[in-house]
C-alpha cells in the first residue's frame, strides 16, 4: 500500500463513520435533511 | 425572571407570522390552514430588556378538540390551569377579516379564566374587504387588551410587546355570554359536582359545557367520568332531549349571540369591489371543470420554465465544476488522490449541486401558489376527486406539502381527525413527486427526451414531467382507494375548508423560502452526499486491477460486483448493473442516484462532457449498442415516481404511527408497485 492509498483509505473511513453517525442520528431524531421539520 | 406567554388562534389567522415577528424565528408559514401542527417555542425581548418565552400552539377553531393537532392546543390550555409551568398570559390571534368566527375561540379562553391579549391581525386585509374595527370599543366589550397588527410587515409588534410588559392581568372572570335559561340550571348542577371533584370554577364551567353538549354515547368513552357521574349527566341529557333542546348547538348559539352584540358595537362593514372580485375569481378557480384546467395549466407552465430558463444557470454550474475538475487535476499528482477528488467528490457532489436552480425554482413557484392563497383552492377542487376514493380535501393539503418533501406532508396529516384517514394519507403521501426526485427527473429527461414542442407551445420535456407528477398523483388516488376499501375501511367524511383571501405573495417570505431551501440543499450536498460519493468512489475503484482499462476496472470493483449481483433481478426492467448500483445507493435518498452516476461515469470517462451526455453516448461493450435508450430512461423515471427510496420517510412513518407495521407495508407496496409498473412499461415499450 503506497502513501496515496493510505490517505484515501483514511478519508473513506472518515466518510463511512460520518454516514453511520448520520444514520443513527436519523433513526433517533426522525428529522429530515430535506426540509426544515425536526422532531 | 423568565416570563412565559403562549400564542393561539384559528388556523390561517397569521398566528405563526405573529410568532415569527415577535421571536425573529423563521417557522414555516403558509396561506392555508394547518401549517402549525406542533407546539413550538421561541424567545423575545420586552422593551424593558426582560427576556420572555413564547409557545406557539397549533391553530384551532375551538377548545373542543377533534384532531391530534387541535388536541395539543386544548391540552396545553386545560393543563395550564393546574400545571406548575404556567404562562402569564395567552396571545389570542384574531383574523380581523373574519372576526366573528375568531372570537368564538376567544370566548372559550375567557371561560377558562386565562389572562389574554387579543392580537387583532391582518387589519389591512380586513380594511380591503371593507371591515373597520374600533380596537378601544372592542377591548371594552371583551374586557381584555386589544392590539392591532399587520404581522407580515411587523406593524404593531412593538405596541404588543409594550402591552405584554405593562398590562396587569386581572384574575377575575370576564365571561359575559349568557347560557340559555333552560340549560342554565342543569349546567350549574354539573359544574358544582365537578368542583366537588377538585376542578376549579372555570375548568368546571368548561367541562360542564362539553359534557352537556356531547352525544350521550360518548359519555362512556370519556377518560375520567365515574359511573355515578355518567348516570347524572345521562339523566340531564334525557331531560333536555325530551324538551327538544338541541344540546349540541345551544351553547354555540349563545356564544354567537354575545359575539354579535360585541361586533355590532365595535365593527363596521361596507360592501367592497375587492370582495366581489375575489368571489368572481373563485367562481373560475374552484369551478369543477375550469378549476382543473387552470390547475394543470399552471403545473405545465411551471415545468416549461424549469426546462427552459432554469437550465441556463444549471449549465453555468456544470461549466464551473468542469473547470474546477480540470484545474485540480493540474495541481494534484496523478494517482488515487486525484481520482478521489476529481471523479469521486467533484463528479458526485457537482452532479447533484447542478440541480440547485431547479430546486430553488420549484420552491419559489410553490411559495407563490401557497402565499397567494391558491393552494387552498387547489385543495377545494381536489376534494371532489378525493371523495371518490373515500378521502376528503383535507387529505390533499398534506399531499400538496409532499410535493416539497414527504416528511412535512406526513406530519401535516395530524390535522386529520379520523385515524384511518390519517394513516391512509400517510401511506400515499410519498407517492407525490418530492423535490429530491427533481435531480433524477431532470437528468434523465434532459439527456434522453428530445426538446420538441407540441402544438408549438408545450415542450415535450415539460409534458413528460407533468405526466410523472400526474402518475404519482394517480397512484396515490388508486392506493388511497384500495387502503380505504381494505385495511383502513371507513366512511367518507365531509370536508370544510376556509378559502383565505387572495393576496400578493410577500417577497420577504419568497426569498426566505428560496434561501432556506438553497442552504438545506447545499448543506446536504456538502455532508451526506459528499460522504456517499467518497465511499462509492472507493467501492468503484477497488480492488485495483493491474493493466485494466477504466471500464474493466469498474466492472471488477466492489461496486461493479454489487451491481452485477442484482443485475438479474432488474434486467426484466431494462436496467443494467450500473443502474443497479444507483438503485442500491439511492435507497438512502433519491438524489444519491445522480451523484452515484456522476462518480461512476467520471471514473470511466474523464472527458469534460456533462453526465447526461456521457450516459447518452455510452456504448455497451457486449452488444455494441447504446447502453441507455429512451425506453430505459422512461422506465427509470417510472421506477423513481413509484419506489420508496427514502430512509428519512421510513423513520418518520415509524414515529408517527408508533410502530414498524405501517412503514413496512408502505415500503413493500411501493417497491412492488414500482417494480411491476416499470416491468409493464418496459415490456410494452419493447413490443412497440
Amino acid at each position: 500500500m503506497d502513501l496515496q492509498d493510505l490517505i484515501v483509505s483514511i478519508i473513506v473511513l472518515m466518510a463511512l463513520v460520518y454516514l453511520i453517525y448520520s444514520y443513527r442520528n436519523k433513526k433517533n431524531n426522525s428529522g429530515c435533511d430535506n426540509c426544515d421539520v425536526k422532531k | 425572571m423568565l416570563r412565559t406567554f403562549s400564542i393561539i388562534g384559528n388556523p390561517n389567522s397569521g398566528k405563526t407570522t405573529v410568532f415569527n415577528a415577535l421571536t425573529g424565528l423563521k417557522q414555516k408559514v403558509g396561506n392555508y390552514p394547518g401549517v402549525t401542527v406542533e407546539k413550538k417555542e421561541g424567545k423575545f425581548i420586552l422593551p424593558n430588556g426582560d427576556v420572555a418565552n413564547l409557545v406557539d400552539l397549533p391553530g384551532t377553531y375551538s377548545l373542543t378538540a377533534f384532531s391530534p393537532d387541535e388536541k395539543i392546543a386544548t391540552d396545553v390550555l386545560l393543563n395550564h390551569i393546574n400545571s406548575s409551568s404556567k404562562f402569564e398570559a395567552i396571545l389570542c390571534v384574531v383574523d380581523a377579516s373574519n372576526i366573528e368566527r375568531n372570537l368564538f375561540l376567544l370566548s372559550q379562553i375567557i371561560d377558562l379564566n386565562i389572562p389574554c391579549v387579543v392580537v387583532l391581525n391582518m387589519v389591512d386585509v380586513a380594511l380591503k374587504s371593507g371591515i373597520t374595527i374600533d380596537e378601544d370599543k372592542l377591548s371594552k366589550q371583551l374586557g381584555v387588551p386589544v392590539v392591532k397588527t399587520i404581522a407580515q410587515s411587523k406593524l404593531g409588534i412593538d405596541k404588543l410587546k409594550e402591552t405584554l410588559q405593562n398590562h396587569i392581568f386581572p384574575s377575575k372572570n370576564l365571561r359575559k355570554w349568557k347560557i340559555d335559561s333552560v340549560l342554565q340550571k342543569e349546567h350549574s348542577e354539573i359544574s358544582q359536582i365537578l368542583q366537588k371533584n377538585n376542578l376549579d370554577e372555570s375548568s368546571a364551567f368548561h367541562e360542564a359545557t362539553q359534557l352537556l353538549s356531547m352525544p350521550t354515547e360518548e359519555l362512556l368513552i370519556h377518560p375520567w367520568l365515574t359511573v355515578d357521574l355518567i348516570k347524572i349527566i345521562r339523566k340531564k341529557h334525557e331531560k333536555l332531549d325530551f324538551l327538544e333542546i338541541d344540546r349540541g348547538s345551544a351553547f354555540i348559539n349563545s356564544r354567537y349571540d354575545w359575539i354579535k352584540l360585541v361586533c355590532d358595537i365595535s365593527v363596521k362593514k361596507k360592501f367592497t369591489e375587492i370582495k366581489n372580485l375575489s368571489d368572481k375569481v373563485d367562481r373560475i378557480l374552484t369551478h369543477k371543470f375550469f378549476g382543473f384546467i387552470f390547475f394543470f395549466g399552471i403545473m405545465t407552465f411551471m415545468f416549461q420554465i424549469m426546462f427552459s430558463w432554469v437550465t441556463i444557470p444549471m449549465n453555468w454550474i456544470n461549466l464551473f465544476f468542469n473547470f474546477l475538475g480540470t484545474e485540480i487535476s493540474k495541481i494534484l499528482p496523478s494517482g488515487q488522490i486525484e481520482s478521489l477528488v476529481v471523479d469521486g467528490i467533484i463528479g458526485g457532489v457537482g452532479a447533484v449541486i447542478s440541480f440547485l436552480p431547479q430546486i430553488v425554482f420549484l420552491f419559489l413557484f410553490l411559495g407563490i401558489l401557497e402565499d397567494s392563497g391558491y393552494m387552498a383552492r387547489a385543495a377545494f377542487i381536489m376534494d371532489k376527486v378525493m371523495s371518490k376514493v373515500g378521502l376528503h380535501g383535507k387529505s390533499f393539503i398534506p399531499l400538496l406539502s409532499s410535493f416539497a418533501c414527504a416528511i412535512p406532508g406526513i406530519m401535516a396529516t395530524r390535522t386529520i381527525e379520523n385515524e384511518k384517514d390519517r394513516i391512509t394519507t400517510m401511506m400515499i403521501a410519498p407517492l407525490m413527486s418530492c423535490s429530491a426526485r427533481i435531480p433524477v427527473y431532470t437528468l434523465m429527461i434532459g439527456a434522453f427526451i428530445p426538446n420538441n414542442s407540441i402544438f408549438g407551445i408545450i415542450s415535450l420535456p415539460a409534458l413528460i414531467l407533468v405526466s410523472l407528477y400526474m402518475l404519482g398523483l394517480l397512484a396515490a388516488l388508486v392506493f388511497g382507494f384500495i387502503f380505504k376499501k381494505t385495511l383502513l375501511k371507513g366512511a367518507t367524511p365531509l370536508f370544510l375548508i376556509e378559502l383565505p383571501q387572495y393576496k400578493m405573495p410577500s417577497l420577504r417570505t419568497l426569498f426566505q423560502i428560496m434561501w432556506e431551501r438553497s442552504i438545506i440543499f447545499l448543506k446536504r450536498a456538502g455532508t451526506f452526499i459528499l460522504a456517499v460519493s467518497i465511499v462509492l468512489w472507493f467501492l468503484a475503484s477497488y480492488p485495483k486491477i493491474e493493466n485494466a482499462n477504466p471500464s474493466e476496472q469498474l466492472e471488477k470493483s466492489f461496486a461493479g460486483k454489487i451491481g452485477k449481483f442484482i443485475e438479474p433481478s432488474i434486467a426484466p426492467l431494462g436496467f443494467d448493473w450500473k443502474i443497479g448500483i444507483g438503485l442500491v445507493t439511492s435507497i438512502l435518498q433519491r438524489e444519491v442516484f445522480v451523484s452515484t452516476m456522476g462518480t461512476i461515469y467520471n471514473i470511466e470517462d474523464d472527458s469534460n462532457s456533462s453526465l447526461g451526455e456521457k450516459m447518452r453516448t455510452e456504448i455497451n461493450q457486449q452488444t455494441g449498442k447504446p447502453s441507455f435508450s429512451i425506453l430505459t430512461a422512461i422506465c427509470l423515471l417510472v421506477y423513481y415516481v413509484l419506489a420508496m427510496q427514502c430512509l428519512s420517510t421510513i423513520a418518520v412513518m415509524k414515529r408517527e404511527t408508533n410502530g414498524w407495521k405501517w412503514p413496512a407495508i408502505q415500503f413493500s407496496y411501493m417497491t412492488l408497485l414500482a417494480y411491476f409498473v416499470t416491468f409493464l412499461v418496459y415490456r410494452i415499450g419493447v413490443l412497440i
Side-chain angles (χ1 to χ4, degrees), chain B residues 374-409:
Chain B
Y374 176 71
M375 280 303 196
R377 272 83 187 172
F380 179 80
I381 57 166
M382 286 309 289
D383 179 46
K384 288 189 181 69
V385 183
M386 302 294 284
S387 63
K388 295 264 191 304
V389 303
L391 288 170
H392 60 37
K394 212 167 185 178
S395 296
F396 191 64
I397 292 173
L399 296 185
L400 277 174
S401 303
S402 303
F403 278 136
C405 170
I407 311 268

Side-chain angles (χ1 to χ4, degrees), chain B residues 353-508:
Chain B
I353 289 185
S354 63
F355 293 99
L356 175 68
Q358 261 88 356
I359 303 278
V360 170
F361 175 75
L362 176 82
F363 283 104
L364 168 71
F365 205 85
L366 289 179
I368 292 173
L369 294 186
E370 224 179 83
D371 212 31
S372 62
Y374 176 71
M375 280 303 196
R377 272 83 187 172
F380 179 80
I381 57 166
M382 286 309 289
D383 179 46
K384 288 189 181 69
V385 183
M386 302 294 284
S387 63
K388 295 264 191 304
V389 303
L391 288 170
H392 60 37
K394 212 167 185 178
S395 296
F396 191 64
I397 292 173
L399 296 185
L400 277 174
S401 303
S402 303
F403 278 136
C405 170
I407 311 268
I410 287 169
M411 309 249 309
T413 60
R414 292 181 187 181
T415 58
I416 299 169
E417 297 94 4
N418 185 306
E419 189 64 13
K420 285 181 177 173
D421 284 355
R422 186 174 170 229
I423 294 176
T424 307
T425 312
M426 281 195 259
M427 292 297 278
I428 59 176
L431 284 167
M432 312 303 284
S433 285
C434 63
S435 62
R437 285 169 169 110
I438 290 279
V440 182
Y441 289 175
T442 323
L443 171 69
M444 302 312 291
I445 293 175
F448 294 96
I449 307 296
N451 199 7
N452 300 339
S453 62
I454 296 167
F455 311 124
I457 320 166
I458 307 166
S459 77
L460 189 59
L463 198 67
I464 297 279
L465 199 48
V466 176
S467 316
L468 295 176
Y469 273 75
M470 291 307 138
L471 175 65
L473 184 60
L474 181 72
L477 291 175
V478 170
F479 273 84
F481 180 75
I482 294 172
F483 281 122
K484 282 287 285 183
K485 289 285 171 200
T486 54
L487 294 172
L488 297 157
K489 270 185 193 170
T492 305
L494 275 174
F495 175 55
L496 289 170
I497 187 170
E498 183 187 338
L499 295 182
Q501 292 269 337
Y502 286 107
K503 66 179 174 82
M504 266 310 273
S506 145
L507 279 180
R508 187 189 299 174

Side-chain angles (χ1 to χ4, degrees), chain B residues 540-596:
Chain B
S541 308
Y542 287 84
K544 274 196 256 179
I545 313 291
E546 291 297 324
N547 302 323
N549 66 31
S551 297
E552 284 169 353
Q553 167 66 46
L554 179 65
E555 205 170 333
K556 289 179 178 154
S557 67
F558 295 123
K561 281 176 188 159
I562 296 168
K564 289 274 181 189
F565 176 73
I566 65 156
E567 193 175 27
S569 63
I570 54 170
L573 313 180
F575 300 158
D576 67 358
W577 58 276
K578 281 186 200 166
I579 299 178
I581 301 172
L583 293 185
V584 171
T585 54
S586 64
I587 284 179
L588 303 170
Q589 269 169 12
R590 292 179 177 95
E591 67 269 60
V592 169
F593 176 80
V594 173
S595 64
T596 303

Side-chain angles (χ1 to χ4, degrees), chain A residues 1-20 22-24 26-39, chain B residues 28 38 333-338 340 404-405 407-408 411 435-436 516-517 520 524 527-528 531-532 534-535 537-538 542 544 589 591 647-648 651-652 655:
Chain A
M1 184 187 267
D2 62 15
L3 184 65
Q4 289 219 12
D5 282 331
L6 182 70
I7 294 171
V8 295
S9 305
I10 293 168
I11 298 173
V12 171
L13 264 178
M14 282 164 62
L16 254 180
V17 169
Y18 175 79
L19 282 179
I20 294 166
S22 121
Y23 169 74
R24 286 174 64 97
K26 210 167 264 177
K27 220 171 92 181
N28 295 337
N29 275 330
S30 305
C32 170
D33 325 333
N34 209 16
C35 53
D36 48 2
V37 177
K38 291 275 179 279
K39 190 176 180 181
Chain B
K28 181 173 165 45
E38 287 184 301
S334 152
Q336 293 304 82
I337 294 181
E338 182 214 355
L340 168 65
C405 170
I407 311 268
M411 309 249 309
S435 62
E516 279 174 6
R517 292 292 157 175
I520 290 166
R524 199 158 33 127
T527 53
F528 189 78
V532 172
I534 292 171
V535 173
W537 170 86
F538 172 80
Y542 287 84
K544 274 196 256 179
Q589 269 169 12
E591 67 269 60
L647 211 58
S648 305
V652 90
R655 193 185 86 204

